[in-house]
Amino acid sequence: SQQGEEDPQALSIQEGENATMNCSYKTSINNLQWYRQNSGRGLVHLILIRSNEREKHSGRLRVTLDTSKKSSSLLITASRAADTASYFCATAPAGAQKLVFGQGTRLTINP
Amino acid sequence: DTEVTQTPKHLVMGMTNKKSLKCEQHMGHRAMYWYKQKAKKPPELMFVYSYEKLSINESVPSRFSPECPNSSLLNLHLHALQPEDSALYLCASSPSGRDNEQFFGPGTRLTVL
């Protein structure tokens, strides 16, 4: 079963605004990753944050991780129409060679 | 070469057909994965191969049969599928190591009639 929960399930904002998505998980992890998926296509890896890290930046992306609350957030700043996609968090459980994906957030950026 | 390729892009098959999905990567990754994804749902892990050996089978029905002929190739053999097996099938690969960052192919859209 999927251990990650994401909210919101869907988010619609205006171009230029910031978008924040949240992810919660249940077990101990080695790292947490965020992926983007354009409609009906493969997933693209965005960013990885390890369990001993609290915050990480990559371009317009900012990820935080709170292992005490078992939660993470993804912030996309200055959104663009091309950011329209589904975003999934994925946890790498400790001791397991696999990823467990959250339910995803469908992000729509309106021009 | 930093991509994972999958063929075919689309596949329509009857319930009595036998078909195969193919996946290839030339990044030297030693772990490869098959996922199934239904519309508006997250990918669900089916199989993991590590160093060409099957390491995880997530209780997938036997009508799905994976094969890893070498470190670059991964196949998924399909036989006697059901209409509910219609989905996007994604292949991924990752380097060995604890981070497990995965690189995904574009997927095969499978329709079972």
Side-chain angles (χ1 to χ4, degrees):
Chain A
S1 63
Q2 302 296 332
Q3 72 160 337
E5 298 294 330
E6 291 185 58
D7 77 271
Q9 289 187 336
L11 179 61
S12 180
I13 60 174
Q14 295 299 120
E15 197 167 18
E17 294 180 339
N18 295 342
T20 300
M21 289 159 266
N22 302 296
C23 169
S24 62
Y25 58 92
K26 295 178 182 175
T27 63
S28 296
I29 60 171
N30 285 328
N31 63 64
L32 186 143
Q33 304 175 33
W34 287 89
Y35 289 80
R36 183 185 74 221
Q37 185 178 33
N38 291 88
S39 180
R41 305 299 294 164
L43 282 75
V44 174
H45 182 269
L46 295 176
I47 195 167
L48 179 152
I49 186 165
R50 295 196 175 91
S51 59
N52 61 353
E53 297 175 313
R54 292 296 166 259
E55 187 171 315
K56 204 161 184 179
H57 296 256
S58 177
R60 293 183 296 113
L61 305 180
R62 172 179 170 255
V63 170
T64 62
L65 179 65
D66 187 334
T67 52
S68 66
K69 295 181 180 177
K70 292 187 167 56
S71 66
S72 173
S73 67
L74 171 67
L75 168 67
I76 303 174
T77 61
S79 63
R80 304 167 182 168
D83 294 329
T84 294
S86 291
Y87 291 81
F88 293 95
C89 69
T91 50
Q97 189 198 13
K98 66 179 185 180
L99 292 178
V100 180
F101 284 85
Q103 294 300 305
T105 294
R106 292 189 305 280
L107 176 64
T108 302
I109 308 299
N110 302 302
Chain B
D1 189 349
T2 58
E3 64 172 2
V4 176
T5 58
Q6 288 188 244
T7 54
K9 290 185 179 179
H10 301 275
L11 178 62
V12 179
M13 59 186 291
M15 289 188 285
T16 59
N17 293 157
K18 286 185 180 180
K19 297 287 184 183
S20 297
L21 309 185
K22 297 185 183 301
C23 174
E24 190 167 3
Q25 58 88 14
H26 294 287
M27 294 178 280
H29 292 171
R30 303 314 299 267
M32 297 185 76
Y33 310 79
W34 279 115
Y35 290 87
K36 173 184 177 181
Q37 186 179 27
K38 302 285 269 186
K40 297 186 179 181
K41 295 292 186 182
E44 295 179 23
L45 182 66
M46 300 175 71
F47 302 103
V48 179
Y49 272 82
S50 178
Y51 291 87
E52 299 155 54
K53 287 186 168 47
L54 182 65
S55 60
I56 296 177
N57 176 341
E58 294 283 35
S59 303
V60 179
S62 60
R63 57 185 184 269
F64 295 91
S65 175
E67 179 196 18
C68 189
N70 60 54
S71 60
S72 300
L73 293 174
L74 187 66
N75 298 323
L76 186 63
H77 303 297
L78 314 173
H79 174 54
L81 294 193
Q82 303 297 310
E84 58 265 30
D85 296 322
S86 298
L88 181 68
Y89 287 84
L90 295 163
C91 173
S93 69
S94 68
S96 56
R98 64 190 295 264
D99 278 349
N100 200 14
E101 172 189 343
Q102 295 187 15
F103 295 76
F104 282 80
T108 293
R109 175 72 60 188
L110 174 67
T111 302
V112 182
L113 301 177

